[in-house]
Amino acid sequence: MRVLVVGGAGYIGSHMVKLLGQRGCEVTVLDNLSAGYRDAVTSGRFVLGDLGEFEVLDEVFRTGRFDGVMHFASHIQVGESVREPAKYYRNNVFKTQYLLDAMVAHRVKSFIFSSTAAIFGEPVRVPIDEAHPREPINPYGCGKWMVERMLQDYDVAYGLKSVCLRYFNAAGADPDGELGERHEPETHLIPLVLRAAAGRLPEVTVFGTDYDTPDGTCIRDYIHVTDLCEAHWLALQRLRAGGESTAYNLGNGQGFSVREVIDTARAVTGREIPVHYGVRRPGDPARLVADARRAQAELGWEPRYNDLATIIAHAWRWEQRRTPG
Ligand code: UDP
C-alpha cells in the first residue's frame, strides 16, 4: 500500500511513518520541517515542502499514486491560536483544503485526519462520546471542526472517504526508544514534568488547583502515541475495505489529574520533581475524558499501553536519551 504522510517528521507523524514501514507500506512523507525533524523520518521517501506550494503538492501526487493520505501537519497550541488565529486558519484549514483538492484531482479516496478533543469545547458530559455537541471555544478547535465539516461535504460531492480521529492527550514515546516528543517550545504536561525530573527545568508549574475535581487540578485522558498510530492503521484498513466516512474519539477512557501525573512521574523516574502551584491557564476545561468504545467496537482498536506509568516510562527513556548524564 502506498501512503502519503503529511507532517510525518513531527511527533505523532514520525511514529506513524515507522509503523507503516513495519507493515510493509511504501511511505512518502511531505513535511515543511517547521516543527518536525528530518532525522525523525526513519523510513520511506522524504519530500521537503509545504501544502501551500501547488507545484510540490501536484508533483508528489503525480509520482506517488497513493492509496491513502494521513494528515498530521498542523499547529497545535491552543493559547497561540487565540493570539494568532490567522496562522491557525491558514495552516490548519486552508492548507488542508489544498491537500483535499489535490486528493480529489488525483482521485485518491482515503483520508485519515488528525482531529482533536478541542472540537467539543467545554464538555457538557464526561466521558465524551462522538455525539457530544461540537462547540469549540478556541481557533485551534474551530479549525479542526471546520475541516471535519468540510470532509462531510467532500464525501457527498467527490466521494472522498475520511476518518477523523479526535485525539485526547497524546503522550509517551516509541517503545523501542527510537522516537519521541520534540516540541519546541514544549507546552505539554508530561514532557515538561520529565524535563523537571531530568534537571533541564527548575520546576514544573501546575496550572490551577481550584478546579472542581477531587484534588483541584485538571483531569485529562493520556493516550500512548503508539496506540494512536495503531488506530490510524485500523482506520485506513477500514476505508480501504469500503468503509464509510466517520469519526472516532481516541483515549483510554481514564482520567488522571495533573497531580497524579506528577506523582506517577516521581515514582517512574525516582527523581524529585519540584512543583510550583500557579494560576489557571485560560481555556482549560476541568475534565476531558474520552468514551472511545466506538473505535474499539468498530475498528477492533485495543490500546496496548494504557497504563499511565508505562506511558511516562517510555517518555522518560526518550527524555534521558536527550539529556545524557
Ligand atoms: N499543565 C500544567 N502545567 C504545564 C502544562 C500543562 O499544569 O506546564 C496542565 C494543563 O493545564 C492541563 C494538563 O496539564 O490541565 C494537560 O495539558 P497539556 O498542555 O499537556 O495538554 P492539553 O490538555 O492542553 O491538550
Side-chain angles (χ1 to χ4, degrees):
M1 189 159 50
R2 285 181 293 267
V3 184
L4 173 64
V5 181
V6 183
Y11 170 42
I12 304 172
S14 63
H15 288 76
M16 191 71 231
V17 169
K18 178 170 175 171
L19 187 142
L20 290 169
Q22 287 169 338
R23 304 266 156 101
C25 294
E26 213 178 287
V27 178
T28 299
V29 171
L30 175 65
D31 199 300
N32 65 10
L33 297 185
S34 63
Y37 297 88
R38 175 65 185 89
D39 64 9
V41 180
T42 52
S43 65
R45 180 168 82 105
F46 180 80
V47 179
L48 177 64
D50 189 274
L51 288 177
E53 297 171 293
F54 175 79
E55 289 77 16
V56 175
L57 203 53
D58 193 56
E59 168 74 12
V60 164
F61 272 90
R62 264 195 300 108
T63 53
R65 294 181 296 121
F66 303 117
D67 300 297
V69 175
M70 295 185 178
H71 181 27
F72 296 90
S74 81
H75 298 313
I76 57 164
Q77 290 182 46
V78 168
E80 185 186 55
S81 81
V82 175
R83 292 190 304 276
E84 295 184 63
K87 174 175 174 179
Y88 277 72
Y89 287 116
R90 188 180 311 115
N91 188 73
N92 295 5
V93 182
F94 296 120
K95 288 188 186 177
T96 298
Q97 191 179 4
Y98 297 149
L99 175 61
L100 299 182
D101 290 346
M103 290 183 67
V104 172
H106 293 271
R107 288 180 285 282
V108 182
K109 299 283 186 194
S110 301
F111 185 63
I112 311 295
F113 180 58
S114 298
S115 189
T116 169
I119 66 165
F120 298 112
E122 191 66 48
V124 295
R125 57 171 189 272
V126 177
I128 298 171
D129 61 12
E130 285 77 5
H132 184 286
R134 270 75 46 149
E135 290 185 10
I137 54 171
N138 52 60
Y140 171 69
C142 283
K144 292 286 184 177
W145 175 237
M146 287 165 84
V147 173
E148 287 208 17
R149 281 293 299 113
M150 206 187 288
L151 285 168
Q152 294 173 19
D153 297 336
Y154 271 53
D155 183 353
V156 173
Y158 311 123
L160 194 156
K161 301 291 174 192
S162 63
V163 177
C164 298
L165 298 175
R166 294 133 173 196
Y167 312 159
F168 281 62
N169 286 61
D174 175 24
D176 302 337
E178 196 182 4
L179 300 166
E181 197 164 359
R182 288 158 87 179
H183 295 125
E184 290 302 340
E186 186 53 76
T187 61
H188 292 112
L189 179 65
I190 291 177
L192 289 175
V193 166
L194 295 178
R195 284 184 192 188
R200 288 176 65 209
L201 274 182
E203 62 188 12
V204 61
T205 300
V206 172
F207 296 143
T209 52
D210 58 349
Y211 284 96
D212 184 18
T213 59
D215 70 16
T217 65
C218 286
I219 291 177
R220 293 288 180 273
D221 184 339
Y222 296 90
I223 172 81
H224 197 291
V225 60
T226 301
D227 288 328
L228 281 182
C229 291
E230 192 63 43
H232 287 69
W233 170 257
L234 294 168
L236 185 58
Q237 304 304 310
R238 186 180 161 86
L239 287 184
R240 299 291 303 149
E244 287 301 323
S245 294
T246 189
Y248 297 112
N249 293 357
L250 298 180
N252 281 313
Q254 235 191 318
F256 292 95
S257 72
V258 174
R259 282 188 217 261
E260 286 173 324
V261 169
I262 295 169
D263 286 342
T264 307
R266 287 188 175 121
V268 167
T269 63
R271 303 280 179 95
E272 282 191 26
I273 301 176
V275 171
H276 165 74
Y277 293 99
V279 297
R280 291 184 178 199
R281 184 173 67 177
D284 273 342
R287 196 186 290 257
L288 288 175
V289 179
D291 178 345
R293 285 177 299 179
R294 248 190 81 197
Q296 291 170 7
E298 294 183 12
L299 295 177
W301 179 60
E302 271 178 53
R304 279 175 68 192
Y305 305 105
N306 57 0
D307 155 63
L308 182 63
T310 305
I311 293 173
I312 292 178
H314 290 168
W316 177 233
R317 188 164 51 188
W318 170 251
E319 172 60 38
Q320 284 179 301
R321 246 194 68 183
R322 284 153 53 80
T323 45

